[in-house]
Structures are given as C-alpha cells and as structure tokens.
Amino acid sequence: MKKTVKKVIKVLFLAAVVCAAAQTSDTAPRPMRTADEGLSDEEFRRGVQSYYRGSFNDAVIRFEKALAYNPASMTIMDWLGKAYYRSGLEGAAIDMWQSAYDEGYGGSLLLNRIEVIRDRRITGVDQETSLKYTESGVFPGTNGNTMIFSQPVSVLPNPDGTVWMLAYGSNVLLLFDINGTVINRITGPINGFDRPVDVIRLNDGRMLVTESAGDRLSLFSENGSFIKYIGKKGRGAGEMIGPQYAAQDSFGNIYVSDFGNCRVDVFDSEGNPLFYFGGRSDSFTGLQGPTGVAVYQDRIFVADGVTGGVYEFDRSGNYVGLLVEEHTFKYPEALKNWGSWLLTCDTNKVISIDADTGATFENSNIGNAPARITSAVPDVNGNLLVTDLVANEMYVMSKMTEVIGGLFVQIESVNAERFPDVTIELRVENRHRQPLVGLRDVNFFVSEGKRPVADLQLTGSAFANKSADVTLIIDRSVESARYREALETAVHELADSMAGQGTLRIISAGKVPVVEFSGDPAAARMFSAASLRNPVSDTVAVDLAVRLAVNELVRGEKKRAIVYMSAGTITDGAFTKYTLSDLSAYMNNNSVSFSLVQLAQRSAADEFDYLCTNTLGSSYFVYRPEGLSAVLKDIIAQPSGLYQLKYRSSLTTDWGTAYLPVEAEVYLLNRSGRDETGYFAPLQ
C-alpha cells in the first residue's frame, strides 16, 4: 500500500513539474534582442519601405546599414541584392545573391534568379529566328464530344495577348484568350463564311478574311463586325477563283494569292481592284500554284505550292527574282512576317526564310504523325502560333529554353497602407526579358507563408494602359545647340501628341543634368530653347542625365520612356560614372525604354544605337515625313508584363513590426514561375 501511495505521489509531482514548465514557457518573456539587432531590424524595415516606393538608392543605403549591424542575416543580403538589381548594378546583385545561396539560403528559387539574370547579361538580345521551338501548349478542336472548331487554317495574334483563329472546316473566326478559352465567335455575314483560308489585320486595324469557296474577301471592323465583301468570282481585275492568303504594303495596297487563276490580285485599301500579276513573261515562267504572300519593305514575296519555291516581285507586279530555289519545299503554305524573316509552313515543319538572302532555318518539326500545318505566326509573347489542319489543333510553340526554364516572376511592390487589404504588383517575363502579355486572374496564385490568401483579384494589367510618362533629355552640347529650331519643333510635337495625358519632364544634359520642367504636357507646347537654365557645354554627362530621368520615371506611369534629343554626337566624359551596360540594365529593370530623336540627319553615335537596341527603343529623325506623333504611339504600344493583384491578408502584424511573407506563382499552359518576398504593415 505504501509503495502504491509513493508511486502516485511521484507521478503527481512529475506532472506538476511539467505543467509548471509549460506555464513558464508560455508566459516567459521573449529573448532580449541586442542593440545591434534592434538597429538592424529598424533599418531593414525602412529599407523595404524605400524599395517599394521606388527609392532604390536609399534602399541600398539602409540595407547596407542593416547588414553591418547583422552580418549573418541572409534575408537582408537577399534584399540588398534586389535593391542593387533595380538600381542597375546587376553584377553586385548577383554577387550578393550568390553569397546568400552559398550559405544555404533561397534554394532553387534564388538559384534560378541568379542563372536567369546572369544569362541575360551574357547573351544579350535573343536571336529568335535561329532558335528551335517546341510545343508548350495546345488549343484542341474538341472538348470531349463537343466541337470547338474544325480544321484551323490561319492565326492573327493581337497586341493584348488574345488571338483570332480562322477555322476552314467549321467556317468560323474565333477569338481566344491566352489560356485557350473562346471569348468571341464570328460566323461572318448573314450567309456565313464559305471556306475561309486567311485572316490579316490591315494598316488601319480592320480585318480581312479570304474565302476560297466564296471567291471573295470579307472586310471586318477591328472587333469583328462585318463591313462588306470585296471581289467576286471570275478572271478579270478584282475577280478571283479560290483566293488563298493575303498581305498589305505600307501604301495600303492589298495582295491576294489567287490559286485558281495562278496569279496575285491587287486591291487598294478600300477593296477597289487595281491589277493582277504573276503570269508568264520573258523573264518568268509564271506562277503555277500561288499560296502564301507576304510584304517586306514593300517587296512582294509569293510562295508556290506546285514549284516549291518563293518568288520576289516589286509593287507593280514586275518579277524581280527567285528568293528560295524551286523544289526547296514540298508544299509551302502561308508566308508571315517575322522581323526581317518570313515564316512558312511545309507539311510538318515551320521554316524561317531570310528575306534578303533566301537562307532557310527549320524552327520546328512536329514529327511524322499525319499533319498539315498551314500557318505559323509570332505572337506578342515571343511564341509561334501554328495551325494543324489535319490534327485539328493549334499549337503554341515556345523556345526550348523557355519551356525548360519556365517563367521569370518578380514581385516589384507591395502596398499594405490599408492593411489587411494588400495590393501587389508583379512582373512576368520569359527568360530573355520579353514580357508576358494577356494573363488572366486564373493564371495567378498568391499565398502568405504557403497558405492561400483570401479574395484574390486581378485589378490591373499594364499592357492595357493608354497613357505614358515621358522624359525628354535635351543635349546641351555645342553641336546640338546649333539645331535650336529643330529642337523646339520636336518638343512641341511630342507635347501635343501626349494630349494632356501622363506627365512630361524635360531634363537638360550638360556637365550636370538639370530638371527644367515637370507637369502637364500641355504646358510644354510653348517650350523655347532660350528658357533652358543649363548652359551649353563642351562636356555632356549623358549617363547622369539618364540616371536622373529613370529616378523620376519609376514612380510614375507603368508605361514610361526616355526620349533623348541630340544631333547624334557624344562628347568626352559622356559615360564616365556609369557604363552603357549599367544604364541599359537600370532602364530594363525598371521598364524604361530609350529612344533617340536626331536633330541632324546623320548617323548617330554607336552608344545611342546600343541604348535604343537594348531597351526596345527606336531612333527618329526630327523632320520625318510622318511627324513625331508615332514616338508616343510606339511607347504605348510596347508590351508590358506588369500586373496588379489585390487580396485580404490573414496575418498578424505585431503592431507593424512583423515581416510578413507573400509568395506569387504564375501558371500558363505547360509553363510556370514563382517569386517570394515580404513586407511590413503600417506601424500602430
């Protein structure tokens, strides 16, 4: 009995000790932080806030201070790398991330970021036409027992990532979103399409459809409303027998391959018949089975399905020569433009043709399964969209490196001012910096500490923005100052083209850059070169002017650009503080393009060409016949992969001192990408 009592007492005693220990653990104060840890945390919090405000230089300073107080923090090292990256110091960013990764931080996500950015710095601009493409997705013609379309034959991509697809078998024109969902269906006019073959976009935005069995063309508005028929069956001018593919030149003339008449029919922009060509002559045996037709630099190219060659003609229909030797192809179909190359399809292959030399390169081969691919077209996201008439599918072809490596996703900002409502902005690109346009809410997944967030909404897509912020940098060199009248003309035209939308800034570039104006573009319509405060100088610090311009633009509109106005020459000391690669990285990493308006008609310095080429900008002559209004149009037309999402957070903020995690994943067909970061809620 005594032994039993002793055992009970011992058990109760041990239980009491455990309970006391548990209570002590729950109520014990947190471990005391050192003074350095407290200072590090405060600098880190302020650095994160500066980063999200676009003050990257301030963020670098604060993260460096935080790291000095707490050198063992891999999170601070990661953020310092991010701030270096957004500041254009990619080398320093990679070194910082590599150090963190070597210490076991970040895993495969950080390693992928390092590899992508390092690869971008080495390879530069991607030569798309010399790359192999493979299937990254497919839009099937059926969904179970439901037919969506039959015998796809031609594709017309849109700048917003959607795509028109023409189905020969089902006589329908379908509009797909980026995920392959049908969002519009057009069956033509009242009596419908009659075996449509090709759809193109005219220079004014209208669409033109060729109908092979109807022996006519159908003209539609940009959104798909029928306007009128063009042409009829016959052998005279404006008459056709089995029209196939179409193209338009810069003058508005429309070229249609007429298979039944073995020729090319020509119409003006309103569909009035002009003439036809392609028959036998002293220098040409004549077209035998014209299929694809394309226009490059107002040179007309026609593929022939019988001879297997591609021929060149001038705008008047005169035979120029053979671009691709006969019997090179088995049966070439559509010819579509791809930069300075032409894309054609040959049974089961996609082949690019150099429009200047006729050299060919096989971009894709879908294998030996029964197939007849008829059209291959590049889209805004760097893919090739390919129609297969026999397999009844439309393929999305991507570069092999993109399929293997996935998407590159970056969370650029987090706004938690109205916490628990949180807004994030993230950028989605491929591995070669090309933005991904057209994503929908179903393509995004956001989580906090690996737990899905509540009420996730896609609230904005920058590719749809119709306004932009523009900063004009005026070269104050002695040479450029001679073109005062041209300068004033350029500023007035660009200010007018903005139509009061966005913010216009003017920076004068001398030994030191000076902000001359910032505000409503309408206020700059009376600009005078005499009002510039920065004096003419023998030395123009182009690098400092560009850095100052980007510093201001990152806080503005999501579409933004620098337009440099110069005679095209540079002075000594133009790039002493920052290299060309640092400047282009700073602009690219903050989505700023660089364009040049030349005040003198001469070749621009190589440095300007480098900046334009590597930031997707362009060069314009101030007195070009069409004026400078196209400068703003080109800026707004540039694709953007920036998206805004909103959600409700369920995390506790610890009075605004807790570092709150957020992760974002993007899925598109067979590709995906991911990023993770953190933020602080407002102090309470």
Side-chain angles (χ1 to χ4, degrees):
M1 182 69 178
K2 290 182 178 180
K3 289 183 178 180
T4 302
V5 171
K6 287 182 178 179
K7 287 182 179 180
V8 172
I9 293 173
K10 186 176 181 180
V11 170
L12 292 174
F13 175 76
L14 291 173
V17 170
V18 171
C19 290
Q23 290 178 356
T24 302
S25 175
D26 288 341
T27 59
R30 297 177 181 177
M32 295 293 293
R33 292 188 305 169
T34 65
D36 282 351
E37 288 175 333
L39 291 170
S40 177
D41 289 349
E42 181 60 21
E43 290 293 344
F44 175 65
R45 185 180 66 82
R46 292 180 177 178
V48 170
Q49 292 173 331
S50 294
Y51 180 92
Y52 287 147
R53 287 196 303 267
S55 302
F56 303 122
N57 293 334
D58 182 63
V60 166
I61 294 171
R62 294 197 177 276
F63 289 141
E64 287 177 341
K65 287 182 179 179
L67 195 61
Y69 288 126
N70 187 6
S73 174
M74 298 298 102
T75 301
I76 298 175
M77 293 181 69
D78 183 17
W79 272 93
L80 181 55
K82 291 180 181 179
Y84 282 147
Y85 175 76
R86 294 296 297 277
S87 297
L89 307 176
E90 292 183 337
I94 291 174
D95 291 342
M96 189 60 59
W97 287 328
Q98 189 66 56
S99 298
Y101 178 77
D102 292 343
E103 294 296 325
Y105 176 85
S108 59
L109 183 63
L110 181 58
L111 180 61
N112 180 69
R113 185 195 306 164
I114 295 170
E115 290 176 346
V116 169
I117 295 172
R118 183 176 286 143
D119 184 59
R120 286 177 174 180
R121 302 182 76 216
I122 294 172
T123 59
V125 178
D126 182 23
Q127 299 298 321
E128 294 180 333
T129 50
S130 62
L131 292 176
K132 286 287 188 178
Y133 281 67
T134 188
E135 181 184 312
S136 65
V138 61
F139 296 177
T142 58
N143 182 11
N145 294 324
T146 304
M147 187 187 75
I148 303 172
F149 56 82
S150 174
Q151 296 183 305
V153 67
S154 184
V155 178
L156 177 62
N158 295 316
D160 62 358
T162 60
V163 55
W164 291 101
M165 191 271 288
L166 193 62
Y168 177 87
S170 51
N171 291 313
V172 67
L173 180 63
L174 299 172
L175 181 64
F176 292 89
D177 70 8
I178 197 171
N179 302 297
T181 302
V182 177
I183 54 180
N184 196 3
R185 177 184 294 267
I186 296 172
T187 57
I190 296 177
N191 56 344
F193 290 121
D194 196 354
R195 299 305 183 204
V197 172
D198 195 19
V199 54
I200 66 168
R201 181 176 292 106
L202 301 180
N203 300 340
D204 59 7
R206 295 179 297 175
M207 295 189 296
L208 187 72
V209 175
T210 65
E211 299 184 56
S212 61
D215 301 314
R216 66 197 179 199
L217 314 176
S218 293
L219 186 64
F220 293 84
S221 68
E222 189 172 358
N223 61 6
S225 299
F226 177 74
I227 299 175
K228 66 178 181 179
Y229 287 127
I230 296 173
K232 62 181 180 179
K233 184 174 182 177
R235 298 191 179 276
E239 298 176 345
M240 298 164 281
I241 300 177
Q244 300 285 297
Y245 297 94
Q248 188 178 32
D249 66 19
S250 64
F251 294 87
N253 293 338
I254 299 167
Y255 302 83
V256 181
S257 59
D258 187 341
F259 191 88
N261 286 320
C262 296
R263 69 192 191 193
V264 174
D265 299 309
V266 185
F267 302 84
D268 68 15
S269 59
E270 293 303 317
N272 300 308
L274 297 177
F275 60 95
Y276 54 83
F277 64 86
R280 180 183 295 273
S281 66
D282 293 338
S283 59
F284 182 48
T285 58
L287 296 170
Q288 298 182 41
T291 52
V293 58
V295 178
Y296 172 67
Q297 294 182 342
D298 288 330
R299 298 151 59 198
I300 318 303
F301 299 97
V302 182
D304 195 304
V306 175
T307 66
V310 178
Y311 307 92
E312 180 182 347
F313 300 85
D314 64 20
R315 291 184 54 250
S316 299
N318 299 308
Y319 176 68
V320 174
L322 195 62
L323 178 67
V324 179
E325 292 292 332
E326 295 178 351
H327 310 299
T328 300
F329 305 119
K330 292 180 180 179
Y331 193 88
E333 300 240 15
L335 283 179
K336 300 294 181 180
N337 294 82
W338 195 17
S340 62
W341 294 65
L342 306 175
L343 276 174
T344 192
C345 298
D346 189 19
T347 311
N348 62 345
K349 301 173 184 177
V350 177
I351 298 173
S352 52
I353 306 168
D354 190 313
D356 293 316
T357 67
T360 62
F361 181 84
E362 183 180 305
N363 297 98
S364 182
N365 188 322
I366 63 174
N368 295 322
R372 182 186 171 188
I373 55 176
T374 55
S375 177
V377 185
D379 73 357
V380 68
N381 292 320
N383 305 310
L384 297 182
L385 304 179
V386 182
T387 54
D388 190 333
L389 196 75
V390 172
N392 200 36
E393 293 178 330
M394 183 174 76
Y395 309 118
V396 180
M397 299 281 191
S398 302
K399 308 175 193 72
M400 287 186 177
T401 54
E402 301 298 333
V403 176
I404 296 171
L407 304 173
F408 188 59
V409 179
Q410 304 167 82
I411 301 175
E412 292 199 345
S413 72
V414 180
N415 186 337
E417 293 179 357
R418 298 183 178 181
F419 191 87
D421 290 333
V422 180
T423 300
I424 66 172
E425 290 183 356
L426 59 99
R427 190 170 302 280
V428 187
E429 301 172 324
N430 65 20
R431 296 176 68 87
H432 294 89
R433 212 191 291 273
Q434 188 166 19
L436 200 66
V437 171
L439 295 174
R440 308 286 178 170
D441 52 0
V442 296
N443 297 112
F444 298 94
F445 177 80
V446 178
S447 59
E448 294 177 314
K450 310 301 187 292
R451 294 187 298 272
V453 300
D455 301 329
L456 180 64
Q457 303 173 44
L458 175 62
T459 55
S461 304
F463 66 80
N465 289 13
K466 299 301 181 184
S467 62
D469 280 359
V470 178
T471 295
L472 309 180
I473 299 180
I474 296 175
D475 190 330
R476 295 295 285 160
S477 67
V478 174
E479 175 65 18
S480 295
R482 295 169 49 202
Y483 299 92
R484 173 175 173 174
E485 182 180 347
L487 171 65
E488 293 176 348
T489 297
V491 173
H492 296 162
E493 279 196 54
L494 287 170
D496 284 338
S497 69
M498 294 182 70
Q501 294 186 328
T503 298
L504 178 67
R505 296 180 181 86
I506 298 177
I507 292 176
S508 55
K511 288 183 179 179
V512 176
V514 174
V515 178
E516 303 279 358
F517 171 81
S518 180
D520 187 339
R525 291 174 178 171
M526 302 303 293
F527 167 81
S528 170
S531 65
L532 294 173
R533 293 172 290 165
N534 212 349
V536 175
S537 174
D538 292 328
T539 302
V540 173
V542 178
D543 53 356
L544 297 182
V546 170
R547 292 285 301 191
L548 177 60
V550 178
N551 291 345
E552 298 295 325
L553 286 168
V554 293
R555 302 182 184 92
E557 289 280 350
K558 305 309 176 186
K559 289 188 175 181
R560 46 222 182 192
I562 293 171
V563 179
Y564 197 91
M565 298 184 169
S566 168
T569 59
I570 61 170
T571 65
D572 293 336
F575 301 98
T576 55
K577 298 290 185 181
Y578 298 93
T579 66
L580 288 171
S581 60
D582 286 340
L583 291 174
S584 62
Y586 190 32
M587 287 185 277
N588 282 324
N589 297 344
N590 293 284
S591 302
V592 178
S593 64
F594 180 96
S595 292
L596 174 69
V597 170
Q598 289 189 244
L599 305 179
Q601 198 165 15
R602 61 164 68 111
S603 296
D606 292 341
E607 290 83 350
F608 291 134
D609 287 338
Y610 178 93
L611 292 176
C612 289
T613 301
N614 286 276
T615 63
L616 301 181
S618 301
S619 179
Y620 309 86
F621 177 54
V622 63
Y623 292 125
R624 61 203 300 259
E626 59 269 46
L628 293 177
S629 60
V631 176
L632 183 66
K633 292 179 181 177
D634 291 345
I635 292 169
I636 293 176
Q638 289 178 359
S640 173
L642 186 66
Y643 297 86
Q644 185 181 83
L645 298 110
K646 181 180 178 181
Y647 67 90
R648 181 170 289 271
S649 176
S650 59
L651 300 177
T652 56
T653 68
D654 197 13
W655 307 102
T657 61
Y659 179 68
L660 307 179
V662 59
E663 306 90 33
E665 297 180 50
V666 179
Y667 303 91
L668 177 62
L669 302 176
N670 295 329
R671 301 160 64 189
S672 64
R674 184 174 182 274
D675 192 23
E676 57 185 36
T677 186
Y679 65 97
F680 291 91
L683 290 172
Q684 298 178 6

